[in-house]
Amino acid sequence: MTDASTATETKMTKSMEDIVALCKRRGFIFPASEIYGGINGFWDFGPLGIELKNNLRDAWWHDMVRCPPAGPDGEMLSIVGLDSSIIQNPKVWEASGHVGGFNDPMQTCRQCKKLFRADHVEEMVLESEWYQELSQIWPPKKIPSLDGLRHWARKNGKKSAPGLALVRDTNNVLQELEKIIKSTDDPGDVWASSNVLFGADCQIWPQDGVCPNCGGDLTEQRDFNLMFETHAGAVRDDANKVYLRPETAQGIFLNFKNVLDTSRVKVPFGIAQIGKAFRNEVTPRNYIFRSREFEQMEMEFFCHESEAKKLYEFWVQTRLDWWKSLGISSENLQRRDHDADELSHYSTACADIEYRYPFTAPGFGELEGIAHRGNYDLTQHQEHSGAKLAYFDQEKNERYLPHVIEPAAGLSRGVLVLLCEAYTPDPDRPSKVYMKFHPRMAPIKAAIFPLVAKEGMPEVAQKLYQELRTKYAVQLDIKQNIGKRYARMDEAGTPYCFTIDGQTLEDDTVTVRERDTLSQERINISQVATYLAEQIG
Ligand code: GAP
């Protein structure tokens, strides 16, 4: 997560709590296993959520595989699809480096025993209830009230931070603090020593950090492999150990030769895949942003080394433009180039497309990564498997392992971006909020309402519904007053509502109500399908 380069400080009227509540209320996303108390890091997509996810998936497949953009020199690009197994031979993950290197540094709290990703600890502490309470009692650069701290430690602190040194060892910590206060006139110096509150035995902030949950001391960092393990076959021993794939990309490299030999593709070309990936994230958080089961949309574009740089730039720009074409505003998207020390050893360049999520604002968080992977993966698989994976260019009489540009996007994370972007509070509407999805992404494209459930109106509505449903995801809603029906559709993000009323029976016209402008116009009922086609495509 990075800070906003231009502190645009957009009025973030969107709160994650409100978005999550709407998603639950309207059936976009539910916690997995909810009736059993849920399971951390897993989510289920409800009826509206799966339509939204499918729309995003289909748009990516269409725009990347069926009808990719023209390449950097205006040439037609060739990209084919693939659906590889989630479980592969475990040697795959040794070759790819995931067995040895796909680790997160992890820490455990000595007091409450909870696990944390070491690089998330500081941010989580700053967000924690107990830290925020303490910051009220001891604001930056001020001399704290020792009585205030003692009172907090003996009351609220016991509940929110029982592991904190100040709570466990109140008298000693406060004596230490008193000495510091007496030793200097500068409140800034005292503030700089505020870590004394957290340190066991009155040490300054313990070297390994404090627990975001209870304030206790953390163990030193240990590597934790993120791959889920299981066994293939009846015997659950090491020989049968297999892994759930942590990325879809490797399945593509494994099939590079198969595709080359069967599809008449020539380098440069791409192989694309959408599917589930699994990572045993230490701290899944921020709703579906970081989950343990999620979907990816990845494409490996194989090219000659001499073209890789140009294609890398092309794909970074193309992918950024693609997200904008789905209605994500430019001010909420940014390109962030990785610093040299962030790059994997084999990668020469990597850029993230970042979105300004409500929980990162005014900063940004990753949505998609575009990596210049060199020919590392093919080299590794060639060495580990013994298979010959080189490409032979007949025209140039040259044999080589192609280099790869990889745009790797999260499908689940993309859904989160669509939800956050669409969420639009509007106090003047009965629903108080509407989901401003791009029509291409909207889970329901149109709703059909008879104004009243009598006088032949439901029959006309039914007929129109039957005609439209053959092409579009549409809904027929007959009951409740019309205002409530509009409100439901606003929350679902339905761009158009067609209403059959008394006048329809006389002149065959219906009203079209447009979600964003709330404008209404009458069109002939025979024109509805054409109207939708023009608006939605
Ligand atoms: N093959 C390269 C690769 O997997 P990555 O940056 O680890 O790269 C690509 O993942 C994208 O997958 C990310 O940009 C993000 O959108 C998504 N992603 C990764 N881990 C995720 C998680 N735990 N939950 C949801 N989405 C995740």
Side-chain angles (χ1 to χ4, degrees), residues 1 29 45 53 56 117 279 281 285-291 293-297 323 328 352-355 357 359 365-369 408-420:
M1 317 252 167
I29 296 170
F45 287 80
K53 179 146 69 95
L56 183 56
R117 229 175 95 169
R279 295 183 190 177
E281 299 282 358
R285 54 200 297 237
N286 291 328
Y287 200 31
I288 60 171
F289 177 83
R290 183 176 296 107
S291 37
E293 176 177 339
F294 56 97
E295 280 174 86
Q296 289 185 312
M297 309 185 286
W323 287 107
I328 314 299
D352 284 347
I353 294 172
E354 297 189 323
Y355 179 72
Y357 300 90
F359 48 82
E366 181 182 342
L367 162 62
E368 169 163 356
L411 172 56
S412 328
R413 202 174 282 184
V415 169
L416 177 61
V417 166
L418 294 179
L419 288 165
C420 293

Side-chain angles (χ1 to χ4, degrees), residues 298-316:
E298 297 198 286
M299 196 269 291
E300 308 299 325
F301 200 77
F302 300 93
C303 62
H304 191 275
E305 183 177 5
S306 60
E307 293 201 300
K309 202 164 180 318
K310 182 172 66 178
L311 282 160
Y312 166 72
E313 278 306 326
F314 165 78
W315 279 114
V316 175

Side-chain angles (χ1 to χ4, degrees), residues 104 224-228 278-283 291-292:
D104 272 346
F224 172 75
N225 193 288
L226 295 185
M227 281 197 294
F228 278 102
F278 302 83
R279 295 183 190 177
N280 196 1
E281 299 282 358
V282 180
T283 38
S291 37
R292 289 178 168 149

Side-chain angles (χ1 to χ4, degrees), residues 3-284:
D3 282 338
S5 44
T6 56
T8 339
E9 302 297 337
T10 39
K11 311 124 244 147
M12 284 306 298
T13 43
K14 307 182 186 189
S15 91
M16 221 36 229
E17 290 74 36
D18 292 343
I19 295 171
V20 172
L22 181 137
C23 287
K24 176 82 200 305
R25 185 167 77 241
R26 290 312 320 272
F28 282 95
I29 296 170
F30 307 120
S33 308
E34 193 181 9
I35 60 172
Y36 288 97
I39 169 166
N40 200 6
F42 297 89
W43 299 92
D44 295 340
F45 287 80
L48 290 183
I50 181 61
E51 292 291 342
L52 182 63
K53 179 146 69 95
N54 284 350
N55 290 343
L56 183 56
R57 184 198 64 191
D58 294 348
W60 188 91
W61 195 261
H62 178 272
D63 298 347
M64 293 291 276
V65 182
R66 299 250 170 87
C67 190
D73 301 325
E75 73 282 19
M76 247 177 35
L77 295 182
S78 162
I79 302 179
V80 294
L82 179 80
D83 183 18
S84 70
S85 249
I86 285 175
I87 293 180
Q88 302 280 355
N89 187 313
K91 287 181 189 151
V92 168
W93 309 110
E94 284 166 27
S96 67
H98 285 86
V99 169
F102 194 52
N103 302 317
D104 272 346
M106 196 192 71
Q107 291 179 284
T108 313
C109 173
R110 293 185 202 279
Q111 269 75 32
C112 71
K113 310 292 177 210
K114 281 204 175 233
L115 294 176
F116 300 94
R117 229 175 95 169
D119 52 336
H120 291 170
V121 162
E122 195 171 331
E123 194 186 327
M124 290 173 82
V125 166
L126 297 181
E127 285 168 6
S128 71
E129 189 189 327
W130 63 260
Y131 187 84
Q132 304 212 348
E133 285 172 5
L134 269 181
S135 326
Q136 300 281 321
I137 302 170
W138 190 352
K141 309 266 157 120
K142 294 256 162 70
I143 299 283
S145 141
L146 295 181
D147 282 345
L149 288 171
R150 182 174 290 107
H151 182 74
W152 178 83
R154 296 203 167 138
K155 287 219 133 180
N156 287 16
K158 279 212 154 67
K159 282 180 240 138
S160 60
L164 194 69
L166 173 69
V167 177
R168 292 198 318 252
D169 198 5
T170 312
N171 286 340
N172 268 339
V173 168
L174 290 181
Q175 268 169 26
E176 188 69 17
L177 189 58
E178 199 172 5
K179 275 192 236 156
I180 296 171
I181 293 171
K182 282 188 180 145
S183 71
T184 173
D185 294 334
D186 182 355
D189 281 353
V190 181
W191 164 247
S193 312
S194 64
N195 294 344
V196 75
L197 303 182
F198 314 129
D201 304 326
C202 308
Q203 289 160 10
I204 300 302
W205 183 293
Q207 211 183 339
D208 297 312
V210 284
C211 169
N213 178 51
C214 78
D217 315 326
L218 296 179
T219 61
E220 62 192 30
Q221 300 182 13
R222 266 176 290 129
D223 276 348
F224 172 75
N225 193 288
L226 295 185
M227 281 197 294
F228 278 102
E229 295 174 5
T230 185
H231 295 87
V235 184
R236 302 181 72 81
D237 62 7
D238 269 1
N240 282 343
K241 189 157 85 179
V242 289
Y243 303 96
L244 303 192
R245 69 179 175 204
E247 60 172 20
T248 53
Q250 293 306 320
I252 296 179
F253 296 119
L254 298 177
N255 285 287
F256 168 70
K257 224 23 186 134
N258 283 337
V259 172
L260 204 55
D261 293 347
T262 55
S263 310
R264 304 186 61 150
V265 282
K266 283 189 185 154
V267 173
F269 75 98
I271 306 180
Q273 160 152 251
I274 300 178
K276 292 259 176 172
F278 302 83
R279 295 183 190 177
N280 196 1
E281 299 282 358
V282 180
T283 38

Side-chain angles (χ1 to χ4, degrees), residues 510-524:
V510 298
T511 62
V512 190
R513 183 241 197 204
E514 209 266 330
R515 178 196 63 203
D516 301 346
T517 58
L518 296 176
S519 67
Q520 299 212 11
E521 60 172 316
R522 291 198 83 88
I523 61 169
N524 196 282

